């Protein structure tokens, strides 16, 4: 019933840009939090940008000033505008959509991820 799908990854040169999109769908459910996370092989998955209803986006220190997260709340679409990309940004980027399935109980739905490669 709930599906999270990312798109927009690819290969770019250092200093280039990419725009990632995440679409979360599901009937009779709202997602109060949506976020982007990245993972490098052999390392933990880490938050990149997380948006919660009623709050400003939270960014990882490594991407502040370069990445911008935004959301189309009506359609449950999350974007990540990535600029001035660096080789160290190379990772699989995952989207997570979180809903409160009942009072006090939250559940996060993960997408399959999209690969971002920064290389020249």
């Amino acid at each position: 019933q709930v599906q999270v799908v990312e798109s927009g990854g690819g290969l770019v040169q250092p200093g280039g840009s990419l725009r990632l999109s995440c679409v979360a769908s599901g009937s009779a459910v709202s997602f109060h939090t949506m976020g982007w996370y990245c993972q490098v092989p052999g390392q933990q998955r880490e938050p990149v940008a997380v948006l919660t209803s009623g709050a400003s986006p939270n960014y990882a220190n490594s991407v502040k000033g370069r990445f911008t997260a935004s959301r189309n709340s009506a359609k449950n679409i999350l974007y990540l505008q990535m600029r001035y990309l660096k080789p160290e940004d190379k990772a699989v980027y995952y989207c997570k959509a979180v809903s409160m399935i009942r009072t006090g109980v939250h559940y996060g739905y993960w997408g399959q991820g999209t690969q971002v490669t920064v290389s020249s």
Side-chain angles (χ1 to χ4, degrees):
Q1 64 170 327
V2 174
Q3 188 174 29
V4 179
V5 181
E6 305 99 330
S7 63
L11 172 65
V12 296
Q13 298 181 26
S17 300
L18 281 174
R19 190 195 191 204
L20 308 185
S21 298
C22 169
V23 180
S25 61
S27 60
V29 63
S30 62
F31 305 98
H32 60 80
T33 297
M34 296 183 71
W36 289 102
Y37 300 75
C38 68
Q39 187 167 27
V40 176
Q43 299 184 14
Q44 299 183 73
R45 188 172 298 183
E46 300 179 343
V48 175
V50 180
L51 278 67
T52 298
S53 297
S56 300
N58 292 124
Y59 296 99
N61 289 333
S62 61
V63 308
K64 288 181 178 178
R66 299 188 299 119
F67 294 4
T68 302
S70 59
R71 180 177 176 178
N72 183 330
S73 297
K75 296 184 177 181
N76 294 128
I77 302 176
L78 180 69
Y79 303 97
L80 185 66
Q81 181 65 57
M82 312 167 77
R83 300 191 297 175
Y84 309 110
L85 282 159
K86 304 175 181 180
E88 48 263 47
D89 295 322
K90 179 183 177 182
V92 177
Y93 286 75
Y94 297 90
C95 177
K96 182 171 74 173
V98 184
S99 65
M100 188 169 69
I101 57 177
R102 59 180 180 271
T103 302
V105 181
H106 307 267
Y107 189 86
Y109 301 88
W110 289 98
Q112 294 297 307
T114 185
Q115 175 71 235
V116 171
T117 300
V118 186
S119 180
S120 62

